[in-house]
Amino acid sequence: MSKQKARKKYYFSVEGETEELYFKWLQDQINQCPNASCYVSFDCRVEPDPIKRVKKMNIVGKIEIWHIYDYESNGLEHKKRFFDTLDKMKKAEQMGKQVKYMLGYSNLTFDLWMMLHKTDYYSSKTYSTSYLKDINKAYDENFQSMDEYKEKDNFNRCLSKISLNDVIQAINRAKHIEQMNLQNGYTKQVYKKFAYYAENPSLDIWLVIKKILEDCQLIKR
């Protein structure tokens, strides 16, 4: 009799539907993979406010929640929204529910992470809409706007064009971006314990993906 696989649970709060769809796709890919040493269960909710996310949860014991968030620009409005979110992440940890919040940011946006599944992508962007042309090229699409690309059926079609091997490549490319930022002399900013680069491209969403794949023995630690 084959040994029953264990199941590991991971918690996320995300900004929008595309991030939620991605993690559902990733969960399914891992659970369908015969080489995965365990099954995974993602408790992923579209909730930009970490405090509201924790209030809605019935938590027993210590858990880690990853907040998947975009650092959209160094403009005052975007920076204020980013820092307000980090403040709420810190406050959510102090609500007596044994929660540790982790930041999985993308600079400029989650679309950078999607690009890394397909290609080396190290160009700096000023506006989030600037990803559209490159998304179309990488995924062999012809979306006329970012909104069209993010429509559920369209985004799922893009997901159908990648695999777990592409996820592993995205992790490696994200590591390279981290190394490039260090070589360029950029300094990680720290606010309320949460670290990030103000320069783009930069991201650390890959850290939680790497951890999950390591836990499932799909990549080495």
PDB file of all heavy atoms in Angstrom, residues 110-138:
ATOM      1  N   PHE A 110       2.379  42.458  -9.573  1.00  0.00           N
ATOM      2  CA  PHE A 110       2.351  41.005  -9.702  1.00  0.00           C
ATOM      3  C   PHE A 110       2.659  40.541 -11.130  1.00  0.00           C
ATOM      4  O   PHE A 110       3.118  39.414 -11.346  1.00  0.00           O
ATOM      5  CB  PHE A 110       0.972  40.503  -9.265  1.00  0.00           C
ATOM      6  CG  PHE A 110       0.797  39.009  -9.279  1.00  0.00           C
ATOM      7  CD1 PHE A 110       1.352  38.215  -8.290  1.00  0.00           C
ATOM      8  CD2 PHE A 110       0.056  38.398 -10.282  1.00  0.00           C
ATOM      9  CE1 PHE A 110       1.183  36.830  -8.300  1.00  0.00           C
ATOM     10  CE2 PHE A 110      -0.130  37.022 -10.301  1.00  0.00           C
ATOM     11  CZ  PHE A 110       0.445  36.240  -9.304  1.00  0.00           C
ATOM     12  N   ASP A 111       2.416  41.421 -12.095  1.00  0.00           N
ATOM     13  CA  ASP A 111       2.668  41.083 -13.493  1.00  0.00           C
ATOM     14  C   ASP A 111       4.155  40.815 -13.751  1.00  0.00           C
ATOM     15  O   ASP A 111       4.503  40.056 -14.661  1.00  0.00           O
ATOM     16  CB  ASP A 111       2.153  42.192 -14.411  1.00  0.00           C
ATOM     17  CG  ASP A 111       0.713  42.533 -14.098  1.00  0.00           C
ATOM     18  OD1 ASP A 111      -0.131  41.612 -14.145  1.00  0.00           O
ATOM     19  OD2 ASP A 111       0.431  43.691 -13.771  1.00  0.00           O
ATOM     20  N   LEU A 112       5.030  41.423 -12.950  1.00  0.00           N
ATOM     21  CA  LEU A 112       6.457  41.114 -13.033  1.00  0.00           C
ATOM     22  C   LEU A 112       6.689  39.632 -12.746  1.00  0.00           C
ATOM     23  O   LEU A 112       7.448  38.959 -13.462  1.00  0.00           O
ATOM     24  CB  LEU A 112       7.241  41.982 -12.045  1.00  0.00           C
ATOM     25  CG  LEU A 112       8.703  41.594 -11.804  1.00  0.00           C
ATOM     26  CD1 LEU A 112       9.519  41.691 -13.091  1.00  0.00           C
ATOM     27  CD2 LEU A 112       9.311  42.481 -10.712  1.00  0.00           C
ATOM     28  N   TRP A 113       6.043  39.106 -11.712  1.00  0.00           N
ATOM     29  CA  TRP A 113       6.170  37.690 -11.373  1.00  0.00           C
ATOM     30  C   TRP A 113       5.666  36.813 -12.509  1.00  0.00           C
ATOM     31  O   TRP A 113       6.286  35.799 -12.856  1.00  0.00           O
ATOM     32  CB  TRP A 113       5.424  37.406 -10.072  1.00  0.00           C
ATOM     33  CG  TRP A 113       5.377  35.963  -9.672  1.00  0.00           C
ATOM     34  CD1 TRP A 113       4.262  35.179  -9.544  1.00  0.00           C
ATOM     35  CD2 TRP A 113       6.486  35.103  -9.359  1.00  0.00           C
ATOM     36  NE1 TRP A 113       4.600  33.899  -9.168  1.00  0.00           N
ATOM     37  CE2 TRP A 113       5.967  33.827  -9.055  1.00  0.00           C
ATOM     38  CE3 TRP A 113       7.868  35.294  -9.309  1.00  0.00           C
ATOM     39  CZ2 TRP A 113       6.765  32.741  -8.700  1.00  0.00           C
ATOM     40  CZ3 TRP A 113       8.679  34.206  -8.968  1.00  0.00           C
ATOM     41  CH2 TRP A 113       8.129  32.962  -8.661  1.00  0.00           C
ATOM     42  N   MET A 114       4.564  37.194 -13.128  1.00  0.00           N
ATOM     43  CA  MET A 114       4.043  36.430 -14.253  1.00  0.00           C
ATOM     44  C   MET A 114       5.022  36.429 -15.429  1.00  0.00           C
ATOM     45  O   MET A 114       5.211  35.409 -16.093  1.00  0.00           O
ATOM     46  CB  MET A 114       2.683  36.985 -14.689  1.00  0.00           C
ATOM     47  CG  MET A 114       1.550  36.733 -13.701  1.00  0.00           C
ATOM     48  SD  MET A 114       1.220  34.966 -13.419  1.00  0.00           S
ATOM     49  CE  MET A 114       0.679  34.441 -15.050  1.00  0.00           C
ATOM     50  N   MET A 115       5.675  37.553 -15.680  1.00  0.00           N
ATOM     51  CA  MET A 115       6.649  37.629 -16.764  1.00  0.00           C
ATOM     52  C   MET A 115       7.822  36.689 -16.531  1.00  0.00           C
ATOM     53  O   MET A 115       8.331  36.070 -17.476  1.00  0.00           O
ATOM     54  CB  MET A 115       7.154  39.067 -16.913  1.00  0.00           C
ATOM     55  CG  MET A 115       6.180  40.022 -17.584  1.00  0.00           C
ATOM     56  SD  MET A 115       5.773  39.533 -19.274  1.00  0.00           S
ATOM     57  CE  MET A 115       7.417  39.418 -20.000  1.00  0.00           C
ATOM     58  N   LEU A 116       8.246  36.554 -15.295  1.00  0.00           N
ATOM     59  CA  LEU A 116       9.421  35.743 -14.987  1.00  0.00           C
ATOM     60  C   LEU A 116       9.196  34.256 -15.248  1.00  0.00           C
ATOM     61  O   LEU A 116      10.158  33.492 -15.344  1.00  0.00           O
ATOM     62  CB  LEU A 116       9.852  35.964 -13.539  1.00  0.00           C
ATOM     63  CG  LEU A 116      10.381  37.366 -13.209  1.00  0.00           C
ATOM     64  CD1 LEU A 116      10.750  37.465 -11.735  1.00  0.00           C
ATOM     65  CD2 LEU A 116      11.570  37.727 -14.082  1.00  0.00           C
ATOM     66  N   HIS A 117       7.944  33.831 -15.377  1.00  0.00           N
ATOM     67  CA  HIS A 117       7.670  32.435 -15.735  1.00  0.00           C
ATOM     68  C   HIS A 117       8.066  32.143 -17.179  1.00  0.00           C
ATOM     69  O   HIS A 117       8.273  30.977 -17.540  1.00  0.00           O
ATOM     70  CB  HIS A 117       6.176  32.116 -15.567  1.00  0.00           C
ATOM     71  CG  HIS A 117       5.720  32.039 -14.151  1.00  0.00           C
ATOM     72  ND1 HIS A 117       5.678  33.129 -13.323  1.00  0.00           N
ATOM     73  CD2 HIS A 117       5.278  30.992 -13.400  1.00  0.00           C
ATOM     74  CE1 HIS A 117       5.225  32.756 -12.136  1.00  0.00           C
ATOM     75  NE2 HIS A 117       4.981  31.472 -12.149  1.00  0.00           N
ATOM     76  N   LYS A 118       8.155  33.194 -17.989  1.00  0.00           N
ATOM     77  CA  LYS A 118       8.360  33.008 -19.420  1.00  0.00           C
ATOM     78  C   LYS A 118       9.731  33.462 -19.923  1.00  0.00           C
ATOM     79  O   LYS A 118      10.219  32.958 -20.934  1.00  0.00           O
ATOM     80  CB  LYS A 118       7.276  33.771 -20.197  1.00  0.00           C
ATOM     81  CG  LYS A 118       5.898  33.109 -20.179  1.00  0.00           C
ATOM     82  CD  LYS A 118       5.945  31.794 -20.958  1.00  0.00           C
ATOM     83  CE  LYS A 118       4.568  31.196 -21.169  1.00  0.00           C
ATOM     84  NZ  LYS A 118       4.637  29.919 -21.921  1.00  0.00           N
ATOM     85  N   THR A 119      10.335  34.420 -19.238  1.00  0.00           N
ATOM     86  CA  THR A 119      11.535  35.018 -19.819  1.00  0.00           C
ATOM     87  C   THR A 119      12.363  35.738 -18.766  1.00  0.00           C
ATOM     88  O   THR A 119      11.842  36.123 -17.706  1.00  0.00           O
ATOM     89  CB  THR A 119      11.135  36.019 -20.925  1.00  0.00           C
ATOM     90  OG1 THR A 119      12.301  36.522 -21.569  1.00  0.00           O
ATOM     91  CG2 THR A 119      10.345  37.194 -20.356  1.00  0.00           C
ATOM     92  N   ASP A 120      13.651  35.926 -19.056  1.00  0.00           N
ATOM     93  CA  ASP A 120      14.472  36.837 -18.252  1.00  0.00           C
ATOM     94  C   ASP A 120      13.877  38.228 -18.422  1.00  0.00           C
ATOM     95  O   ASP A 120      13.648  38.678 -19.555  1.00  0.00           O
ATOM     96  CB  ASP A 120      15.919  36.842 -18.756  1.00  0.00           C
ATOM     97  CG  ASP A 120      16.592  35.493 -18.578  1.00  0.00           C
ATOM     98  OD1 ASP A 120      16.161  34.725 -17.702  1.00  0.00           O
ATOM     99  OD2 ASP A 120      17.547  35.207 -19.316  1.00  0.00           O
ATOM    100  N   TYR A 121      13.641  38.906 -17.320  1.00  0.00           N
ATOM    101  CA  TYR A 121      12.916  40.172 -17.412  1.00  0.00           C
ATOM    102  C   TYR A 121      13.477  41.133 -16.373  1.00  0.00           C
ATOM    103  O   TYR A 121      13.092  41.087 -15.205  1.00  0.00           O
ATOM    104  CB  TYR A 121      11.419  39.938 -17.177  1.00  0.00           C
ATOM    105  CG  TYR A 121      10.551  41.090 -17.614  1.00  0.00           C
ATOM    106  CD1 TYR A 121      10.299  41.318 -18.964  1.00  0.00           C
ATOM    107  CD2 TYR A 121       9.986  41.946 -16.686  1.00  0.00           C
ATOM    108  CE1 TYR A 121       9.503  42.371 -19.379  1.00  0.00           C
ATOM    109  CE2 TYR A 121       9.184  42.996 -17.085  1.00  0.00           C
ATOM    110  CZ  TYR A 121       8.943  43.214 -18.436  1.00  0.00           C
ATOM    111  OH  TYR A 121       8.153  44.256 -18.843  1.00  0.00           O
ATOM    112  N   TYR A 122      14.373  41.999 -16.832  1.00  0.00           N
ATOM    113  CA  TYR A 122      15.096  42.840 -15.887  1.00  0.00           C
ATOM    114  C   TYR A 122      14.943  44.337 -16.192  1.00  0.00           C
ATOM    115  O   TYR A 122      15.659  45.157 -15.651  1.00  0.00           O
ATOM    116  CB  TYR A 122      16.583  42.450 -15.887  1.00  0.00           C
ATOM    117  CG  TYR A 122      16.791  40.960 -15.688  1.00  0.00           C
ATOM    118  CD1 TYR A 122      17.606  40.229 -16.546  1.00  0.00           C
ATOM    119  CD2 TYR A 122      16.142  40.280 -14.662  1.00  0.00           C
ATOM    120  CE1 TYR A 122      17.781  38.858 -16.369  1.00  0.00           C
ATOM    121  CE2 TYR A 122      16.306  38.915 -14.480  1.00  0.00           C
ATOM    122  CZ  TYR A 122      17.126  38.213 -15.336  1.00  0.00           C
ATOM    123  OH  TYR A 122      17.288  36.865 -15.154  1.00  0.00           O
ATOM    124  N   SER A 123      13.988  44.668 -17.069  1.00  0.00           N
ATOM    125  CA  SER A 123      13.805  46.074 -17.427  1.00  0.00           C
ATOM    126  C   SER A 123      12.970  46.804 -16.380  1.00  0.00           C
ATOM    127  O   SER A 123      12.049  46.236 -15.791  1.00  0.00           O
ATOM    128  CB  SER A 123      13.143  46.194 -18.802  1.00  0.00           C
ATOM    129  OG  SER A 123      11.871  45.590 -18.795  1.00  0.00           O
ATOM    130  N   SER A 124      13.316  48.053 -16.168  1.00  0.00           N
ATOM    131  CA  SER A 124      12.590  48.883 -15.209  1.00  0.00           C
ATOM    132  C   SER A 124      11.352  49.483 -15.875  1.00  0.00           C
ATOM    133  O   SER A 124      11.365  49.826 -17.057  1.00  0.00           O
ATOM    134  CB  SER A 124      13.501  50.000 -14.710  1.00  0.00           C
ATOM    135  OG  SER A 124      12.822  50.838 -13.804  1.00  0.00           O
ATOM    136  N   LYS A 125      10.267  49.578 -15.108  1.00  0.00           N
ATOM    137  CA  LYS A 125       9.020  50.137 -15.623  1.00  0.00           C
ATOM    138  C   LYS A 125       8.595  51.328 -14.763  1.00  0.00           C
ATOM    139  O   LYS A 125       8.875  51.386 -13.559  1.00  0.00           O
ATOM    140  CB  LYS A 125       7.910  49.082 -15.597  1.00  0.00           C
ATOM    141  CG  LYS A 125       8.188  47.868 -16.477  1.00  0.00           C
ATOM    142  CD  LYS A 125       8.250  48.241 -17.951  1.00  0.00           C
ATOM    143  CE  LYS A 125       8.480  47.024 -18.823  1.00  0.00           C
ATOM    144  NZ  LYS A 125       8.642  47.382 -20.248  1.00  0.00           N
ATOM    145  N   THR A 126       7.897  52.256 -15.400  1.00  0.00           N
ATOM    146  CA  THR A 126       7.391  53.434 -14.686  1.00  0.00           C
ATOM    147  C   THR A 126       5.921  53.284 -14.344  1.00  0.00           C
ATOM    148  O   THR A 126       5.473  53.734 -13.286  1.00  0.00           O
ATOM    149  CB  THR A 126       7.588  54.703 -15.545  1.00  0.00           C
ATOM    150  OG1 THR A 126       8.973  54.813 -15.897  1.00  0.00           O
ATOM    151  CG2 THR A 126       7.173  55.947 -14.762  1.00  0.00           C
ATOM    152  N   TYR A 127       5.164  52.636 -15.223  1.00  0.00           N
ATOM    153  CA  TYR A 127       3.731  52.477 -15.023  1.00  0.00           C
ATOM    154  C   TYR A 127       3.358  50.992 -15.129  1.00  0.00           C
ATOM    155  O   TYR A 127       3.942  50.246 -15.925  1.00  0.00           O
ATOM    156  CB  TYR A 127       2.943  53.269 -16.065  1.00  0.00           C
ATOM    157  CG  TYR A 127       3.279  54.738 -16.098  1.00  0.00           C
ATOM    158  CD1 TYR A 127       4.081  55.254 -17.102  1.00  0.00           C
ATOM    159  CD2 TYR A 127       2.812  55.601 -15.098  1.00  0.00           C
ATOM    160  CE1 TYR A 127       4.411  56.610 -17.129  1.00  0.00           C
ATOM    161  CE2 TYR A 127       3.139  56.953 -15.116  1.00  0.00           C
ATOM    162  CZ  TYR A 127       3.934  57.449 -16.126  1.00  0.00           C
ATOM    163  OH  TYR A 127       4.263  58.777 -16.142  1.00  0.00           O
ATOM    164  N   SER A 128       2.367  50.585 -14.353  1.00  0.00           N
ATOM    165  CA  SER A 128       1.942  49.179 -14.368  1.00  0.00           C
ATOM    166  C   SER A 128       1.422  48.762 -15.742  1.00  0.00           C
ATOM    167  O   SER A 128       1.547  47.603 -16.139  1.00  0.00           O
ATOM    168  CB  SER A 128       0.879  48.936 -13.297  1.00  0.00           C
ATOM    169  OG  SER A 128      -0.255  49.768 -13.512  1.00  0.00           O
ATOM    170  N   THR A 129       0.848  49.719 -16.478  1.00  0.00           N
ATOM    171  CA  THR A 129       0.331  49.402 -17.813  1.00  0.00           C
ATOM    172  C   THR A 129       1.453  49.072 -18.798  1.00  0.00           C
ATOM    173  O   THR A 129       1.199  48.517 -19.866  1.00  0.00           O
ATOM    174  CB  THR A 129      -0.498  50.572 -18.357  1.00  0.00           C
ATOM    175  OG1 THR A 129       0.286  51.776 -18.280  1.00  0.00           O
ATOM    176  CG2 THR A 129      -1.775  50.758 -17.563  1.00  0.00           C
ATOM    177  N   SER A 130       2.688  49.412 -18.428  1.00  0.00           N
ATOM    178  CA  SER A 130       3.828  49.162 -19.319  1.00  0.00           C
ATOM    179  C   SER A 130       4.105  47.690 -19.513  1.00  0.00           C
ATOM    180  O   SER A 130       4.840  47.302 -20.438  1.00  0.00           O
ATOM    181  CB  SER A 130       5.083  49.848 -18.759  1.00  0.00           C
ATOM    182  OG  SER A 130       4.893  51.234 -18.582  1.00  0.00           O
ATOM    183  N   TYR A 131       3.526  46.832 -18.659  1.00  0.00           N
ATOM    184  CA  TYR A 131       3.743  45.395 -18.791  1.00  0.00           C
ATOM    185  C   TYR A 131       2.935  44.782 -19.936  1.00  0.00           C
ATOM    186  O   TYR A 131       3.232  43.657 -20.366  1.00  0.00           O
ATOM    187  CB  TYR A 131       3.353  44.675 -17.492  1.00  0.00           C
ATOM    188  CG  TYR A 131       4.284  44.911 -16.334  1.00  0.00           C
ATOM    189  CD1 TYR A 131       3.899  45.716 -15.274  1.00  0.00           C
ATOM    190  CD2 TYR A 131       5.540  44.310 -16.289  1.00  0.00           C
ATOM    191  CE1 TYR A 131       4.741  45.937 -14.189  1.00  0.00           C
ATOM    192  CE2 TYR A 131       6.393  44.515 -15.218  1.00  0.00           C
ATOM    193  CZ  TYR A 131       5.997  45.336 -14.170  1.00  0.00           C
ATOM    194  OH  TYR A 131       6.838  45.553 -13.111  1.00  0.00           O
ATOM    195  N   LEU A 132       1.921  45.481 -20.421  1.00  0.00           N
ATOM    196  CA  LEU A 132       0.974  44.872 -21.361  1.00  0.00           C
ATOM    197  C   LEU A 132       1.654  44.325 -22.615  1.00  0.00           C
ATOM    198  O   LEU A 132       1.419  43.170 -23.005  1.00  0.00           O
ATOM    199  CB  LEU A 132      -0.112  45.881 -21.749  1.00  0.00           C
ATOM    200  CG  LEU A 132      -1.178  45.358 -22.715  1.00  0.00           C
ATOM    201  CD1 LEU A 132      -1.945  44.185 -22.096  1.00  0.00           C
ATOM    202  CD2 LEU A 132      -2.144  46.474 -23.117  1.00  0.00           C
ATOM    203  N   LYS A 133       2.482  45.125 -23.249  1.00  0.00           N
ATOM    204  CA  LYS A 133       3.147  44.702 -24.484  1.00  0.00           C
ATOM    205  C   LYS A 133       3.988  43.444 -24.240  1.00  0.00           C
ATOM    206  O   LYS A 133       3.975  42.505 -25.054  1.00  0.00           O
ATOM    207  CB  LYS A 133       4.031  45.835 -25.006  1.00  0.00           C
ATOM    208  CG  LYS A 133       4.786  45.484 -26.279  1.00  0.00           C
ATOM    209  CD  LYS A 133       5.645  46.658 -26.740  1.00  0.00           C
ATOM    210  CE  LYS A 133       6.452  46.287 -27.986  1.00  0.00           C
ATOM    211  NZ  LYS A 133       7.313  47.429 -28.430  1.00  0.00           N
ATOM    212  N   ASP A 134       4.692  43.404 -23.120  1.00  0.00           N
ATOM    213  CA  ASP A 134       5.562  42.266 -22.819  1.00  0.00           C
ATOM    214  C   ASP A 134       4.759  41.028 -22.435  1.00  0.00           C
ATOM    215  O   ASP A 134       5.149  39.899 -22.758  1.00  0.00           O
ATOM    216  CB  ASP A 134       6.535  42.642 -21.704  1.00  0.00           C
ATOM    217  CG  ASP A 134       7.450  43.794 -22.110  1.00  0.00           C
ATOM    218  OD1 ASP A 134       7.869  43.820 -23.281  1.00  0.00           O
ATOM    219  OD2 ASP A 134       7.732  44.668 -21.271  1.00  0.00           O
ATOM    220  N   ILE A 135       3.637  41.224 -21.735  1.00  0.00           N
ATOM    221  CA  ILE A 135       2.741  40.105 -21.418  1.00  0.00           C
ATOM    222  C   ILE A 135       2.222  39.477 -22.703  1.00  0.00           C
ATOM    223  O   ILE A 135       2.213  38.242 -22.870  1.00  0.00           O
ATOM    224  CB  ILE A 135       1.561  40.586 -20.533  1.00  0.00           C
ATOM    225  CG1 ILE A 135       2.026  40.910 -19.102  1.00  0.00           C
ATOM    226  CG2 ILE A 135       0.426  39.560 -20.533  1.00  0.00           C
ATOM    227  CD1 ILE A 135       2.262  39.701 -18.229  1.00  0.00           C
ATOM    228  N   ASN A 136       1.793  40.319 -23.636  1.00  0.00           N
ATOM    229  CA  ASN A 136       1.285  39.816 -24.925  1.00  0.00           C
ATOM    230  C   ASN A 136       2.346  38.998 -25.655  1.00  0.00           C
ATOM    231  O   ASN A 136       2.058  37.921 -26.193  1.00  0.00           O
ATOM    232  CB  ASN A 136       0.825  40.975 -25.799  1.00  0.00           C
ATOM    233  CG  ASN A 136      -0.576  41.457 -25.453  1.00  0.00           C
ATOM    234  OD1 ASN A 136      -1.401  40.680 -24.969  1.00  0.00           O
ATOM    235  ND2 ASN A 136      -0.854  42.723 -25.715  1.00  0.00           N
ATOM    236  N   LYS A 137       3.557  39.494 -25.673  1.00  0.00           N
ATOM    237  CA  LYS A 137       4.638  38.791 -26.372  1.00  0.00           C
ATOM    238  C   LYS A 137       4.984  37.475 -25.677  1.00  0.00           C
ATOM    239  O   LYS A 137       5.117  36.433 -26.322  1.00  0.00           O
ATOM    240  CB  LYS A 137       5.877  39.686 -26.440  1.00  0.00           C
ATOM    241  CG  LYS A 137       7.038  39.052 -27.186  1.00  0.00           C
ATOM    242  CD  LYS A 137       8.224  40.004 -27.264  1.00  0.00           C
ATOM    243  CE  LYS A 137       9.402  39.348 -27.993  1.00  0.00           C
ATOM    244  NZ  LYS A 137      10.574  40.259 -28.057  1.00  0.00           N
ATOM    245  N   ALA A 138       5.099  37.519 -24.348  1.00  0.00           N
ATOM    246  CA  ALA A 138       5.509  36.331 -23.587  1.00  0.00           C
ATOM    247  C   ALA A 138       4.465  35.231 -23.654  1.00  0.00           C
ATOM    248  O   ALA A 138       4.807  34.039 -23.715  1.00  0.00           O
ATOM    249  CB  ALA A 138       5.791  36.713 -22.138  1.00  0.00           C
TER     250      ALA A 138
END
